[in-house]
């Protein structure tokens, strides 16, 4: 029996993805050093055309030519050591797909390393968690187009579907697939922070209990804000530990962890000088959350709050909050789309923003009703300089802007930290400033460091002895 696809790494993601392929009629094989994972694969895949191997040689021999190997192992050094193990047993034309959350720059290095050996290597972002892998993820494959064509039928079969269309497409050359997945995760971080801010407002500003939080997030999820992240948030506020009477969420430490993809998004965005302030602050807030003792001590020093948001008029305020959330959500996605465009130009990825928005509509963590509008906007104009130029999106912004301002201002006065709401608003206000105060920054730089400045209506660079002027 020759297997169409081989999976290396039979952890939950690898196993589920393999079972998903088998569900769709593909004969597939998996390899792992851990026998218990092989046993799990075979028991969960009973009746399906799936086989587990503990011997790399036997596994490799069992695969159809050219071999297609998907790696689902932790990002970093392990990917390189697996590649080294594979090189001697593979032959020219074989395809290695890294399905993990690898840094796209590592993927570029690996593509360049394997190309002269005749091996196709491509990075494929996979989103959707365990459930997505099993039932239909969103996938972002980038690299050699011929290699993609070879696996396209399998990927399209197992992907999530929206209106019958698979949530997978060829992203572009090189490491573009992992770049796009990184930006996806950056957006994910910012949206999660926006939801966390909202929780903070409702809990601290209005004393919402978990029942009311569950109800509100469920209601929002039935409307324009419909999204996977809101739906799971509603579920979280409805979860009591089996056999107990307490809400699990209340017993979880307020210290957020991170595997690093959000940080990479901010780092890369800074390297290529494209601002994504809401992603930056989302990364920063996770970091701040880890300083528990410091926060506890400072909390004891600076007590007290301002007036309740909305002067305590809950209903009115919560209606505005829904619009403010929509506004911030639009700005978050637009920061991500800007980063895609800038990254595409810098790294020559040839990204198609409408196609990326299309495959994010289903299967992935940031899927949301709003992605339909993003998709539509870039379909109308693939060179849109910024998402907020789109006429439909412009109307939504104009309708929600006052609410966004009210919510941010009143939370600031109440002393409630809402960095996602305030950063989206400040970003937007700076964007709509024809003249920013950056002339002053230039003057300051020149004053203390003779860094020069440029003048309006005059070519060239200038320097002034500012001290002399003062005297
Ligand atoms: C996805 C997720 C997935 C993973 C994140 C978690 O798209 O399915 O983004 O890739 O859950 O890496 O990231 P953090 O540990 O950094 O929060």
């Amino acid at each position: 029996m020759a297997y169409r696809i081989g999976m290396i790494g039979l952890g939950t993601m690898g196993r589920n993805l393999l079972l998903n392929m088998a569900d769709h009629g593909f004969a597939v094989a998996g390899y792992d050093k851990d026998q218990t994972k092989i046993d799990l694969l075979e028991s969960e895949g009973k009746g399906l055309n799936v086989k587990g191997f503990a011997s790399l040689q036997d596994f490799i021999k069992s695969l159809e030519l050219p071999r297609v190997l998907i790696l689902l192992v932790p990002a970093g050094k392990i990917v390189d050591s697996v590649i080294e193990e594979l090189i001697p047993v593979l032959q020219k034309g074989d395809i290695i797909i890294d399905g993990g959350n690898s840094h796209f720059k590592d993927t570029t290095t690996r593509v360049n390393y394997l190309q002269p050996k005749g091996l196709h290597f491509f990075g494929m972002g996979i989103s959707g968690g365990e459930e997505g892998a099993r039932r239909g993820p969103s996938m972002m494959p980038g690299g050699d187009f011929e290699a993609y064509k070879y696996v396209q039928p399998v990927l399209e079969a197992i992907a999530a579907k929206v209106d019958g269309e698979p949530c997978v497409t060829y992203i572009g050359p090189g490491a573009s697939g992992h770049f796009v997945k990184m930006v996806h995760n950056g957006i994910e971080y910012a949206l999660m922070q926006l939801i966390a801010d909202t929780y903070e407002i409702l809990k601290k500003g209005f004393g919402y209990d978990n029942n009311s939080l569950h109800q509100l997030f469920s209601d929002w999820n039935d409307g324009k804000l419909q999204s996977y992240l809101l739906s799971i948030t509603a579920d979280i506020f409805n979860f009591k530990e089996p056999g107990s009477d307490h809400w699990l969420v209340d017993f979880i430490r307020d210290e957020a962890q991170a595997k690093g993809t959000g940080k990479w998004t901010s780092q890369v965005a800074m390297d290529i000088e494209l601002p994504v302030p809401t992603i930056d602050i989302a990364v920063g807030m996770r970091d701040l959350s880890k300083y528990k003792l410091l926060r506890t001590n400072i909390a004891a020093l600076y007590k007290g709050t301002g007036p309740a948001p909305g002067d305590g008029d809950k209903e009115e305020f919560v209606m505005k909050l829904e619009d403010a959330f929509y506004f911030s959500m639009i700005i978050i996605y637009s920061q991500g789309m800007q980063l895609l465009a800038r990254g595409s130009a810098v790294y020559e990825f040839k990204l198609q923003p409408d196609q990326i928005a299309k495959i994010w509509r289903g299967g992935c963590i940031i899927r949301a009703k709003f992605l339909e509008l993003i998709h539509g906007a870039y379909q109308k104009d693939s060179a849109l300089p910024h998402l907020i130029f789109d006429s439909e999106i412009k109307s939504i912004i104009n309708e929600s802007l006052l609410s966004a301002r009210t919510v941010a201002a009143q939370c600031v006065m109440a002393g409630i930290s809402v960095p996602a709401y305030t950063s989206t608003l400040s970003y937007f206000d700076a964007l709509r400033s024809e003249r920013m105060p950056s002339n002053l920054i230039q003057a300051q730089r020149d004053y203390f460091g003779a860094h020069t400045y440029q003048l309006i209506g005059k070519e060239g660079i200038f320097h002034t002895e500012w001290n002399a002027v003062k005297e």
Side-chain angles (χ1 to χ4, degrees):
M1 171 88 216
Y3 295 98
R4 177 87 162 84
I5 304 275
M7 178 75 64
I8 299 191
L10 297 177
T12 322
M13 286 295 286
R15 208 168 59 242
N16 281 352
L17 206 64
L18 210 55
L19 292 170
N20 183 353
M21 290 175 194
D23 277 344
H24 286 87
F26 297 101
V28 290
Y31 164 75
D32 202 294
K33 288 184 174 138
D34 182 348
Q35 184 62 42
T36 56
K37 289 184 180 154
I38 297 172
D39 295 344
L40 260 179
L41 174 73
E42 296 200 335
S43 66
E44 288 172 9
K46 221 171 227 124
L48 296 170
N49 214 339
V50 54
K51 172 128 181 77
F53 290 88
S55 146
L56 184 64
Q57 300 290 341
D58 294 347
F59 167 66
I60 294 294
K61 264 193 247 146
S62 78
L63 300 173
E64 252 179 48
L65 295 178
R67 299 182 185 92
V68 178
L69 291 139
I70 302 183
L71 271 45
L72 266 169
V73 298
K77 287 198 172 63
I78 299 185
V79 176
D80 292 311
S81 63
V82 172
I83 289 173
E84 288 307 320
E85 275 186 71
L86 286 175
I87 290 171
V89 292
L90 295 186
Q91 62 193 63
K92 279 193 174 27
D94 286 349
I95 301 166
I96 304 174
I97 302 173
D98 175 10
N101 272 336
S102 292
H103 196 297
F104 77 98
K105 290 191 176 167
D106 290 342
T107 303
T108 305
T109 308
R110 288 165 188 151
V111 169
N112 295 337
Y113 175 59
L114 292 170
Q115 214 163 28
K117 301 184 193 310
L119 296 173
H120 301 291
F121 183 83
F122 66 84
M124 178 165 78
I126 304 180
S127 179
E130 295 169 23
E131 184 62 17
R134 186 71 182 87
R135 307 273 161 229
S138 174
M139 287 170 287
M140 292 146 253
D144 184 298
F145 187 64
E146 289 310 308
Y148 172 72
K149 286 305 258 184
Y150 187 70
V151 288
Q152 185 180 4
V154 180
L155 299 181
E156 289 187 350
I158 63 165
K161 309 284 180 308
V162 174
D163 302 332
E165 297 203 67
C167 292
V168 62
T169 190
Y170 177 67
I171 296 291
S176 58
H178 275 145
F179 177 81
V180 170
K181 176 60 174 36
M182 179 195 75
V183 176
H184 166 285
N185 280 30
I187 296 172
E188 172 185 304
Y189 271 55
L191 292 172
M192 289 167 76
Q193 182 61 44
L194 179 64
I195 298 174
D197 282 9
T198 309
Y199 168 42
E200 186 79 341
I201 298 169
L202 294 167
K203 199 172 159 76
K204 292 199 176 148
F206 297 103
Y208 266 52
D209 62 12
N210 290 336
N211 279 321
S212 334
L213 287 163
H214 163 71
Q215 197 50 54
L216 185 82
F217 286 123
S218 304
D219 292 348
W220 281 8
N221 194 48
D222 286 338
K224 60 193 178 197
L225 303 184
Q226 189 282 321
S227 62
Y228 171 74
L229 283 169
L230 269 188
S231 81
I232 64 162
T233 304
D235 285 352
I236 288 168
F237 288 114
N238 198 28
F239 188 88
K240 283 187 177 166
E241 286 230 78
S244 89
D245 199 35
H246 69 238
W247 306 98
L248 180 56
V249 67
D250 293 337
F251 287 83
I252 296 180
R253 289 187 191 197
D254 59 337
E255 294 170 60
Q257 303 299 313
K259 285 194 189 133
T261 45
K263 179 180 74 179
W264 297 345
T265 313
S266 285
Q267 285 173 332
V268 169
M270 287 194 190
D271 285 345
I272 63 176
E273 300 177 357
L274 187 283
V276 287
T278 314
I279 297 174
D280 300 339
I281 197 72
V283 174
M285 293 310 279
R286 287 200 194 188
D287 290 339
L288 186 59
S289 77
K290 290 172 202 142
Y291 292 83
K292 178 71 175 175
L293 182 61
L294 181 72
R295 288 190 288 113
T296 306
N297 291 338
I298 292 179
L301 271 186
Y302 295 95
K303 285 187 186 303
T305 50
D311 292 327
D313 185 344
K314 190 169 79 179
E315 246 119 83
E316 171 84 19
F317 188 85
V318 168
M319 273 165 58
K320 288 186 179 141
L321 188 56
E322 185 175 4
D323 285 340
F325 188 104
Y326 202 20
F327 170 86
S328 292
M329 180 173 155
I330 293 171
I331 299 297
I332 288 168
Y333 280 104
S334 73
Q335 289 176 14
M337 297 311 287
Q338 286 302 103
L339 184 54
L340 289 183
R342 174 86 178 141
S344 183
V346 172
Y347 304 112
E348 298 177 1
F349 284 151
K350 302 189 176 78
L351 302 180
Q352 298 179 59
D354 65 316
Q355 294 305 305
I356 294 169
K358 186 173 162 197
I359 64 161
W360 283 351
R361 293 176 310 160
C364 66
I365 303 297
I366 65 167
R367 63 185 185 260
K369 194 175 184 171
F370 179 62
L371 272 157
E372 287 290 352
L373 294 188
I374 305 182
H375 175 227
Y378 285 104
Q379 260 200 328
K380 273 183 266 163
D381 180 1
S382 65
L384 208 56
H386 197 288
L387 188 59
I388 63 177
F389 275 98
D390 178 75
S391 57
E392 210 171 329
I393 291 172
K394 180 169 162 246
S395 317
I396 302 173
I397 287 187
N398 282 330
E399 281 159 24
S400 55
L401 186 56
L402 186 58
S403 295
R405 293 197 189 291
T406 309
V407 164
Q410 296 191 354
C411 288
V412 168
M413 287 312 293
I416 299 172
S417 167
V418 286
Y421 284 99
T422 48
S423 71
T424 48
L425 207 45
S426 291
Y427 168 82
F428 172 77
D429 282 328
L431 258 186
R432 63 181 198 94
S433 298
E434 192 185 339
R435 183 158 168 85
M436 285 175 69
S438 324
N439 49 327
L440 178 59
I441 308 241
Q442 279 302 81
Q444 290 165 332
R445 291 177 70 243
D446 190 55
Y447 190 123
F448 61 64
H451 295 299
T452 73
Y453 53 83
Q454 289 169 295
L455 284 174
I456 299 168
K458 208 169 171 184
E459 284 306 308
I461 49 168
F462 301 89
H463 166 62
T464 296
E465 290 299 322
W466 299 85
N467 255 328
V469 173
K470 197 174 78 182
E471 279 145 27

